[in-house]
Amino acid sequence: MADAPSGGGRGGFGSRGSGRGGRGGRGRGRGRGRGRGKEDQKEWVPVTKLGRLVRDGKIRTLEEIYLYSLPIKEFEIIDFFLGPSLRDEVLKIMPVQKQTRAGQRTRFKAFVAIGDHNGHIGLGVKCSKEVATAIRGAIILAKLSVVPVRRGYWGNKIGKPHTVPCKVTGKCGSVSVRLIPAPRGTGIVSAPVPKKLLMMAGIEDCYTSARGSTGTLGNFAKATYAAIAKTYAYLTPDLWKEMQLGKTPYQEYANFLAETNKGISGRQIEV
Amino acid sequence: MEEAAQADDVDLGFVEESDSYLLTNTYFPSKVGGRPAWLDLENLPDPEELRCASCNEPCIFLCQMYASLDDPDTFHRSIYVFMCKKPACCQVNRSDNFVVFRSQLPRKNRFYSFEPPQEDEAKAETAHFCPLCIVCGCKGPFQCPKCKSTFYCGPEHQRLDWKSGHRDKCGMGKASPLFPEYEIVLEAEKSSRTQEVSDDEEQENRQLAEYQKLVDAGKVGEFKDVPEAELLKFTQEEDETFSNFQKIVAREPEQILRYCRKGQPLLISSTNIPQPDTIPKCPMCGDERVFEFQIMPQLLNYLREDGLALDWGTLVIYTCVNSCEVDNQYVREYIHKQDIVTTNQ
């Protein structure tokens, strides 16, 4: 096995040897409560570059991250922007069994949807030996998969947006699903899973129209999802005004800092 | 999900602010940033060897680890990591801008005393309490207005110091390319095995009972009859390697280093895994290199680097299995950089 690095006194006087008796006691104690029972919130130490940018407050909204399609790997990022408004809901818990030599092993699979009823929705699935662990893990994965949903009006622009902004179609296999704006009070006319997701995202009214072999449930669901994703891809008249091509958060700050810091990290401004 | 098998005796490194005098080579420190505390004081690596492979400019000291082994020849042993932080040199999944050196000495050598160094607490305390004049060592209530890091007892000594060289050195601190200096403190990682429930079957029965209770209470979700496949179409693929990394790191989120000689590194991504055939053999003795320690991305939070190019997923350092030595030279070792894949699949 490894050469027992914490063996006292064996070889060396440094931090891992015993020559630092006085130090050992002081070790990591300064300014941190150690050995206190299980503290609820350990402060988040980001691991990814995006996490560091978010924690330093260099990114103002979640939408900036979506705009540049940067993958989110740390759920604390979503918590940072949407934290208190997110509601999670367990959609399904099911036992799954695996055959082993010693019989059957049962694990639990949990599906959790998370949304803030205001334009963001995510769905996560986790399998684990314990029910509670599966639910916790699924919530984290749901947060990582949060996507924005654009809402618009059916007719008069009174009150808050309540439906899809325009007719959008998603296609998968032979199935094409069309989401159509609906007047207030219609509710969501759709299959159960996308209906739930649309509701949690904050869409109140929507017609759907499907064509193709909708019996293939997988394709049907994927097509609906594709249609929802297109709500932000559709160029509506109010977006016709030309917008300056923006820089990714990484580039935006690299330029700013290269200008203010003279000579440290070299002027590498990409065009 | 099963936990990945990890060697049990991993040492975790954490950064701590420390007095500068304790980070000098007399005390055989493990440290981050500042200047390197060389072990073998005579045969230092040439400046040519410390140049970045991409841009050929000098590399900056990142960290060093005091890691002695059981052999009498390796009573003192330090590993030094240097890097070039220019954005153009920091390429994804390439470690050209890093240089790693290893140095070792027997206990009886001509640089250091045979006995462990004594920390001179008394000396430290007095300097701490109030700043001293850099010229005469008396109480220094005045400070240089420009750099604010040099103290004087009065205008006379300030003028004297300015004339005799501070004028050139003043403000150097801000323009210094070095990383901020910290000490690395090691602690053993708590083994996860002890926290696992030992009796699997009993636990499983308990969980099944709990599940049954939920079914009876109607709490298994409104989609309990919807087939799993339909729900799965709306979910993202889970990055399992990264999830496992996060799970293990979550026990001690502030760790910046994991030491486990001859163990297995904790991977952060499933791409660019160091394979045994990509790790070059030791140029001195021809034997293979083994994993020694890895630097975690949390260290980047402490380096206070404003530039955004400096990034890594994990830096894995491999050293010669024999810890061989030739003529008291500093031996080059191999470093592998694994980045977190940032493009959307």
Side-chain angles (χ1 to χ4, degrees):
Chain A
M1 276 302 264
D3 299 307
S6 19
R10 224 187 320 177
F13 300 145
S15 31
R16 281 158 53 235
S18 65
R20 295 279 212 124
R23 215 79 219 299
R26 228 170 29 174
R28 260 212 315 151
R30 297 191 247 189
R32 319 161 172 244
R34 284 213 58 228
R36 65 252 176 222
K38 254 228 160 147
E39 216 177 78
D40 208 316
Q41 300 284 5
K42 280 188 186 165
E43 206 191 293
W44 170 40
V45 183
V47 158
T48 55
K49 201 195 300 194
L50 195 60
R52 281 191 289 276
L53 284 176
V54 165
R55 206 212 24 189
D56 293 339
K58 299 232 169 81
I59 298 190
R60 286 165 296 254
T61 66
L62 189 55
E63 272 57 39
E64 278 183 40
I65 303 180
Y66 292 140
L67 197 59
Y68 300 109
S69 298
L70 299 169
I72 299 174
K73 296 209 109 98
E74 296 181 273
F75 73 92
E76 291 93 343
I77 296 175
I78 302 288
D79 267 339
F80 183 85
F81 290 113
L82 297 177
S85 50
L86 282 174
R87 302 263 169 272
D88 58 86
E89 191 170 325
V90 174
L91 297 183
K92 188 180 170 76
I93 306 176
M94 52 186 274
V96 281
Q97 295 192 320
K98 179 174 97 162
Q99 272 290 50
T100 63
R101 279 172 306 185
Q104 291 192 329
R105 275 278 162 266
T106 310
R107 295 195 302 172
F108 299 93
K109 200 159 181 174
F111 291 84
V112 173
I114 197 162
D116 65 347
H117 288 268
N118 199 20
H120 299 99
I121 181 71
L123 175 54
V125 54
K126 184 78 180 178
C127 192
S128 174
K129 280 191 284 214
E130 294 170 35
V131 177
T133 318
I135 296 177
R136 254 199 311 263
I139 291 178
I140 291 178
L141 288 173
K143 286 185 184 162
L144 288 181
S145 69
V146 165
V147 288
V149 175
R150 187 173 177 201
R151 292 154 301 156
Y153 296 97
W154 173 77
N156 293 328
K157 294 195 172 55
I158 303 169
K160 291 271 172 205
H162 61 104
T163 183
V164 278
C166 52
K167 294 178 185 169
V168 279
T169 315
K171 190 169 157 63
C172 181
S174 70
V175 183
S176 65
V177 169
R178 197 177 185 207
L179 296 179
I180 298 151
R184 281 187 200 279
T186 317
I188 303 180
V189 183
S190 157
V193 177
K195 174 174 177 173
K196 182 81 188 172
L197 295 179
L198 287 167
M199 264 170 47
M200 284 187 80
I203 292 189
E204 295 155 16
D205 316 287
C206 184
Y207 290 125
T208 58
S209 161
R211 197 197 141 78
S213 62
T214 58
T216 340
L217 277 179
N219 280 350
F220 180 55
K222 247 190 173 167
T224 318
Y225 194 62
I228 298 171
K230 279 195 178 165
T231 56
Y232 259 112
Y234 198 97
L235 189 67
T236 53
D238 54 306
L239 296 173
W240 282 355
K241 177 162 178 247
E242 267 190 29
M243 293 214 291
Q244 279 269 302
L245 209 64
K247 298 195 178 100
T248 69
Y250 300 152
Q251 237 187 346
E252 186 180 316
Y253 290 103
N255 287 344
F256 163 67
L257 293 157
E259 274 155 28
T260 49
N261 280 347
K262 296 191 170 72
I264 292 188
S265 49
R267 295 188 67 101
Q268 300 284 337
I269 302 178
E270 286 155 30
V271 176
Chain B
M1 301 282 166
E2 257 86 48
E3 241 180 280
Q6 297 284 330
D8 280 347
D9 42 358
V10 176
D11 274 346
L12 302 178
F14 302 87
V15 285
E16 278 285 325
E17 303 259 345
S18 173
D19 307 316
S20 314
Y21 84 95
L22 280 170
L23 299 176
T24 54
N25 36 20
T26 341
Y27 296 100
F28 308 108
S30 292
K31 60 184 280 212
V32 168
R35 301 203 166 107
W38 298 109
L39 185 64
D40 184 318
L41 296 171
E42 195 176 334
N43 303 307
L44 298 184
D46 284 328
E48 281 74 49
E49 299 182 61
L50 283 172
R51 288 186 179 263
C52 165
S54 316
C55 64
N56 218 32
E57 295 216 358
C59 290
I60 302 166
F61 173 68
L62 175 65
C63 74
Q64 73 182 75
M65 184 70 200
Y66 181 76
S68 35
L69 301 175
D70 292 335
D71 239 303
D73 264 340
T74 55
F75 190 80
H76 297 298
R77 180 169 170 270
S78 279
I79 298 171
Y80 301 85
V81 182
F82 294 81
M83 70 174 297
C84 176
K85 54 180 178 173
K86 290 250 248 344
C89 301
C90 296
Q91 306 257 337
V92 174
N93 282 329
R94 300 207 29 202
S95 55
D96 296 348
N97 58 326
F98 287 89
V99 185
V100 179
F101 280 105
R102 164 173 59 85
S103 166
Q104 58 201 36
L105 289 173
R107 186 168 181 176
K108 194 154 186 214
N109 57 74
R110 58 193 161 113
F111 307 113
Y112 305 103
S113 102
F114 196 75
E115 296 303 320
Q118 297 300 324
E119 284 174 38
D120 216 322
E121 286 269 37
K123 246 198 291 183
E125 303 260 329
T126 41
H128 246 348
F129 286 146
C130 62
L132 301 179
C133 171
I134 202 169
V135 174
C136 64
C138 300
K139 187 165 170 194
F142 299 97
Q143 64 186 19
C144 172
K146 195 159 160 221
C147 66
K148 295 202 181 16
S149 49
T150 330
F151 298 94
Y152 302 103
C153 58
E156 300 83 12
H157 284 180
Q158 184 175 5
R159 259 180 257 134
L160 198 64
D161 193 37
W162 182 260
K163 268 189 271 184
S164 62
H166 187 71
R167 171 184 31 209
D168 306 314
K169 282 198 296 190
C170 190
M172 179 57 188
K174 292 212 192 84
S176 168
L178 301 177
F179 292 120
E181 201 176 36
Y182 299 98
E183 184 189 0
I184 300 178
V185 177
L186 284 178
E187 273 181 20
E189 183 178 44
K190 290 197 261 294
S191 170
S192 63
R193 308 284 161 84
T194 52
Q195 292 162 13
E196 301 254 312
V197 178
S198 33
D199 198 330
D200 276 332
E201 202 180 305
E202 197 186 292
Q203 195 218 13
E204 194 178 308
N205 290 336
R206 257 185 283 139
Q207 287 298 315
L208 274 167
E210 193 180 311
Y211 177 71
Q212 201 50 43
K213 260 190 278 175
L214 283 174
V215 170
D216 298 334
K219 288 218 188 112
V220 283
E222 59 189 86
F223 289 146
K224 58 182 184 292
D225 300 319
V226 173
E228 157 188 5
E230 187 178 334
L231 279 163
L232 280 174
K233 295 304 174 190
F234 285 91
T235 56
Q236 266 184 2
E237 284 267 329
E238 181 190 349
D239 187 345
E240 296 207 2
T241 321
F242 190 80
S243 291
N244 183 48
F245 177 91
Q246 286 210 301
K247 182 162 73 157
I248 301 211
V249 164
R251 287 183 225 140
E252 290 288 353
E254 303 194 13
Q255 60 188 264
I256 56 129
L257 193 147
R258 290 177 73 87
Y259 185 98
C260 185
R261 185 149 210 264
K262 296 187 188 166
Q264 287 298 319
L266 178 62
L267 298 172
I268 197 170
S269 165
S270 46
T271 57
N272 195 30
I273 299 175
Q275 303 287 357
D277 39 351
T278 50
I279 305 167
K281 298 208 194 298
C282 173
M284 300 287 163
C285 64
D287 258 331
E288 57 160 8
R289 284 192 167 118
V290 284
F291 168 66
E292 175 127 11
F293 67 96
Q294 69 184 115
I295 300 176
M296 307 294 270
Q298 287 91 322
L299 179 60
L300 289 159
N301 296 313
Y302 298 103
L303 294 181
R304 286 186 234 137
E305 275 294 303
D306 289 330
L308 294 164
L310 194 58
D311 186 33
W312 61 73
T314 183
L315 297 168
V316 189
I317 283 132
Y318 292 88
T319 56
C320 172
V321 65
N322 301 324
S323 200
C324 65
E325 189 182 316
V326 177
D327 292 340
N328 293 316
Q329 295 291 330
Y330 278 71
V331 182
R332 265 196 172 215
E333 298 289 12
Y334 178 70
I335 183 169
H336 179 93
K337 178 165 105 155
Q338 197 184 34
D339 272 308
I340 305 167
V341 174
T342 51
T343 49
N344 242 340
Q345 275 100 358

